[in-house]
Amino acid sequence: MCSLDFSWFNSGHFVDVIEWIGTFAFAISGIRLAAKKDFDLFGAYVVGLLTAIGGGTIRDLLLQTNPFWMSNSRYMICTAVALLFVILFRKHIVKLNITFFIFDTIGLALFTVVGIEKTLGFGHPFWVAAIMGTITGVAGGVLRDICIAEIPLIFRKEIYASSCLLGCLCYYICNYIGISLVANQLLTSFVIILSRVIAVKNGIGLPKLKSESD
Amino acid sequence: MCSLDFSWFNSGHFVDVIEWIGTFAFAISGIRLAAKKDFDLFGAYVVGLLTAIGGGTIRDLLLQTNPFWMSNSRYMICTAVALLFVILFRKHIVKLNITFFIFDTIGLALFTVVGIEKTLGFGHPFWVAAIMGTITGVAGGVLRDICIAEIPLIFRKEIYASSCLLGCLCYYICNYIGISLVANQLLTSFVIILSRVIAVKNGIGLPKLKSESD
Amino acid sequence: MCSLDFSWFNSGHFVDVIEWIGTFAFAISGIRLAAKKDFDLFGAYVVGLLTAIGGGTIRDLLLQTNPFWMSNSRYMICTAVALLFVILFRKHIVKLNITFFIFDTIGLALFTVVGIEKTLGFGHPFWVAAIMGTITGVAGGVLRDICIAEIPLIFRKEIYASSCLLGCLCYYICNYIGISLVANQLLTSFVIILSRVIAVKNGIGLPKLKSESD
């Protein structure tokens, strides 16, 4: 009698929810940095938006297709909600750092998978798809850091892009073996999330290039 | 007998004149900042050019169409004239600050209206046109500030993008009511110019985001 | 009897070799700057890649065509080799400064010529081709400097873009006179290389814009 309704959990809706979570977390990261740099409301909104949609926009320009956010206003709305959230819960947001880290990592995984699949759909070889997946995941953060006139974080700290690339490798192998698409998507996301969580928990980073004078 | 010739004032020529004024003022603002930062002539020209045509170029890339400046060399020439102007009248240019402020604001208004209409002409919904209008008006200044390694001014000070957005709102309402195109263009420009002049005169800015540690 | 084999030297292969040299030198310049700024391996690779392919990518986006590097993975591989080279020969690389200067200048010449010809091939007028040639040659370096949060070097020092522009002028004149394509390419490259070598040897730079307070 009492049957639970899992229709919400079907593929389309599920991806939508993940996309909201990812967009929201990316926007929050941009808005928080903007607040530290004394930005006004407009500036904070733009930096939040660039962080959230910048990677996908660069990907779409390189693929010679219409930027994805033009066909749906949800990304604008989601960033506005994120701005409101930061204004209202400013004092408490620090306590949510771990939550945002998780959201951000889930977003990274989804964005990477979306980037890979969109590029393959355009008929490009896999190495191009891997680059596009990584751009989708990380380029928004690079634009964010350029807007606040700092050296992009991902070039110096944190396993972030490396998780994307590991995910791309996983996707390629799964695809080669012939695993089903959904299983591949889940496994790739899992690899990205797990590798980032492990790296951050243990303070693992890529080795730095030594300067010539060292 | 003595009839004044107003043919010069017909729509096409009038817009051309406004466009020259706007391009010139935008280029001047880039070149002056470059001079402060010790740029050479080439650097100053490029920064002036980016300030003048950067916003429209980003808009055209996002709209998947040829950048507007490729079909007419006037923007290159106008920037060269601006560079010559700064070189020749360096000492006196400060006295013209109010004139340049007016020119810059007129340019902002025209660029915003042009951006809105071009986007609507591609069949996009109005909220995309509002974003494109704002990008056309302000993104050149953002590129300028990135080139001189500073945080973009419009993210921290001045009602500037907000005037664009107010203008977009005005355009939308006028369009909805059914006012004629020319009246709409003039009214929208008027709203953008007036709101910016009032804001700058009274030192009105958007509220800043408070940092988490405040 | 003893005939030398110059087939390697035929046009296609020769241009390929020059392109490798140029890409390698551009990537090295990005990676070395990244090392100074404490970048990790991923960051250094990305900055090297942006330096090498950034100019051509911006050109292709403006021309509304697929970015050139998507059709051949050689640019990715060449940048990886450059990264390995910097890691292995870090201590000795300073001694090779003159070699890299030569490679870099050869790359600049080739990239400029390629940019001019690709743009003319799309039916644009010559002044657009000159801009695109210059963008192909110098915009990668601008992106590199933005990524390390510094004011782009070419806006303040060195005859660099000016050599490109001089080369463009040479190309135009040769084309106008009716010199054969190959002779034009060689002469244009020669003008770019010679003007840069002379300028750097003699410390010649463009005049700077004086600030308004001077």
Side-chain angles (χ1 to χ4, degrees), chain A residues 93-138:
Chain A
I93 219 163
V94 173
K95 293 173 212 155
L96 294 169
N97 271 350
I98 292 174
T99 311
F100 281 117
F101 170 73
I102 301 294
F103 281 12
D104 193 81
T105 307
I106 293 171
L108 181 69
L110 178 82
F111 287 9
T112 306
V113 172
V114 166
I116 293 173
E117 298 190 340
K118 188 162 189 178
T119 309
L120 291 176
F122 274 82
H124 289 288
F126 192 80
W127 66 269
V128 174
I131 292 172
M132 292 300 170
T134 308
I135 287 176
T136 313
V138 310

